[in-house]
Amino acid sequence: MKKIIVTALTVTLLLSVTACENVSDESYVQTDPHTEESNITTTAEETVQAAPSVADEPELSLLNCRTNEDGTYCIDQTTWNSSDDYELFREYFFGTWEGSFRFPEYPEQKRLIIDDTEKSFVMTETGIRMLNGFYETGVHALAFMIGSDSGSAIIWISLDEPDTIYMVWGDMTSPLWSRNESGAYSTAPVVYTLRKTDEPLNEPEGNFLSIFRLREMAQEYGIDFGSLVNIEYESDGTTLYHDDWYQLYPMYLVSKSDNEIIIRTSVGNVYETEKEPIEVLCTFEKAEGEWNRSVELF
């Protein structure tokens, strides 16, 4: 059962949001249908800013990060291009990484596993989700974003130094930030560095479908990704769920053809602590060019 941990950003960070360029890019924004949205917002009037300068830190420059007049660090989104080439993603990001980083929910965390198995951090870290897709940043680097109740974070890698990845708190539309051990927030970002280990890559078992495989399946078959992962099922008067966040239960491929896909998974409800998840079969059938889903007990 996954545990919800809710934190909030300080007033300083709230007021600094307007320092970043307001470029519309909703492709990576997701909200949990079962919890209140905790996005950073502000109603402060926009003020004229001097032209931002490129961040001096070499790691942040890989993101095309710029420093504004008020000292905040923001991403130049115009240089980022969305990619759906997950073989490229696997080539650079897959592996076991160790170093000086931490999720606020896991202050002692020192290892990050990214792969197609149930050992991947997307499956094991409570409350951490991978936001839509990944990006080529325009400076020979790749980046993707994760989200939690504490906020979002960017993880990136230089294609010229594939044994090192970096992580910083923030996203494409708000300033980068950090938080110290006492919980205080700062607009001065801290870049965490992780090195790739020599551990062999984990291989999926039992036809397990990682979040990456599910995105590829959605692309290949023309199925909406949300319909693959966002499931509701009524059981004894309680609505049980599957999603890509707190209730991302493992999904296993049973069979697939051009017009039918069957996936076995579980549905649950994090608010019903006495209600155990139950196994279900999700059948996707294509008829007249449209995919329809049915859910039944396994």
Side-chain angles (χ1 to χ4, degrees):
M1 190 66 64
K2 294 190 174 182
K3 177 181 178 183
I4 300 178
I5 306 170
V6 180
T7 59
L9 298 180
T10 60
V11 174
T12 301
L13 184 57
L14 288 171
L15 295 178
S16 66
V17 171
T18 53
C20 284
E21 182 181 7
N22 184 20
V23 178
S24 176
D25 184 349
E26 300 179 352
S27 63
Y28 72 94
V29 177
Q30 298 189 30
T31 57
D32 181 8
H34 321 307
T35 60
E36 292 186 2
E37 187 174 359
S38 59
N39 290 337
I40 306 169
T41 57
T42 182
T43 57
E45 293 184 358
E46 293 185 359
T47 57
V48 177
Q49 299 286 346
S53 60
V54 178
D56 294 332
E57 291 80 354
E59 297 87 359
L60 290 177
S61 66
L62 291 169
L63 297 177
N64 262 318
C65 183
R66 299 180 180 275
T67 309
N68 288 320
E69 186 182 49
D70 62 358
T72 58
Y73 290 74
C74 295
I75 302 299
D76 181 2
Q77 305 168 48
T78 63
T79 64
W80 283 35
N81 294 306
S82 179
S83 176
D84 57 10
D85 182 358
Y86 282 99
E87 287 306 314
L88 179 66
F89 187 95
R90 290 183 178 90
E91 179 182 352
Y92 285 95
F93 284 113
F94 270 27
T96 298
W97 306 82
E98 292 183 344
S100 58
F101 86 105
R102 70 184 187 97
F103 296 123
E105 292 87 348
Y106 305 96
E108 303 303 323
Q109 184 74 34
K110 295 298 182 184
R111 288 165 59 87
L112 185 68
I113 298 175
I114 307 175
D115 59 29
D116 277 323
T117 77
E118 295 179 60
K119 296 179 181 180
S120 181
F121 81 97
V122 181
M123 299 301 301
T124 61
E125 307 301 343
T126 304
I128 303 296
R129 71 198 300 196
M130 179 177 175
L131 302 180
N132 277 351
F134 71 103
Y135 300 85
E136 299 177 26
T137 69
V139 285
H140 211 49
L142 303 176
F144 69 96
M145 282 173 285
I146 60 174
S148 75
D149 281 326
S150 297
S152 56
I154 304 172
I155 296 175
W156 72 101
I157 191 169
S158 167
L159 303 188
D160 298 322
E161 297 180 5
D163 291 331
T164 304
I165 60 174
Y166 307 99
M167 173 183 166
V168 68
W169 285 99
D171 58 40
M172 293 171 63
T173 59
S174 61
L176 306 183
W177 54 278
S178 61
R179 189 174 74 175
N180 62 25
E181 296 296 331
S182 64
Y185 286 86
S186 170
T187 55
V190 173
V191 176
Y192 299 99
T193 301
L194 299 93
R195 308 290 182 183
K196 195 171 188 177
T197 71
D198 294 329
E199 296 183 27
L201 190 65
N202 300 311
E203 296 296 336
E205 299 177 352
N207 291 326
F208 172 74
L209 294 170
S210 69
I211 199 73
F212 314 109
R213 293 295 185 195
L214 288 165
R215 293 194 187 283
E216 288 175 319
M217 179 178 287
Q219 296 165 9
E220 179 182 358
Y221 287 89
I223 303 177
D224 178 66
F225 176 74
S227 71
L228 280 177
V229 298
N230 296 326
I231 303 164
E232 295 186 9
Y233 185 82
E234 296 291 331
S235 175
D236 299 328
T238 301
T239 303
L240 304 179
Y241 303 96
H242 183 287
D243 56 32
D244 68 342
W245 198 352
Y246 291 107
Q247 291 159 146
L248 177 57
Y249 301 100
M251 306 186 80
Y252 305 94
L253 180 65
V254 176
S255 64
K256 66 177 180 178
S257 64
D258 290 343
N259 298 309
E260 183 183 74
I261 298 171
I262 301 177
I263 295 174
R264 175 174 60 87
T265 188
S266 297
V267 290
N269 191 320
V270 295
Y271 300 108
E272 298 288 340
T273 57
E274 296 182 357
K275 184 75 173 181
E276 292 294 327
I278 60 175
E279 285 192 291
V280 295
L281 279 180
C282 297
T283 301
F284 300 84
E285 294 181 293
K286 188 175 184 179
E288 298 181 354
E290 297 291 332
W291 285 95
N292 300 297
R293 183 186 69 195
S294 60
V295 183
E296 59 184 340
L297 286 175
F298 178 69

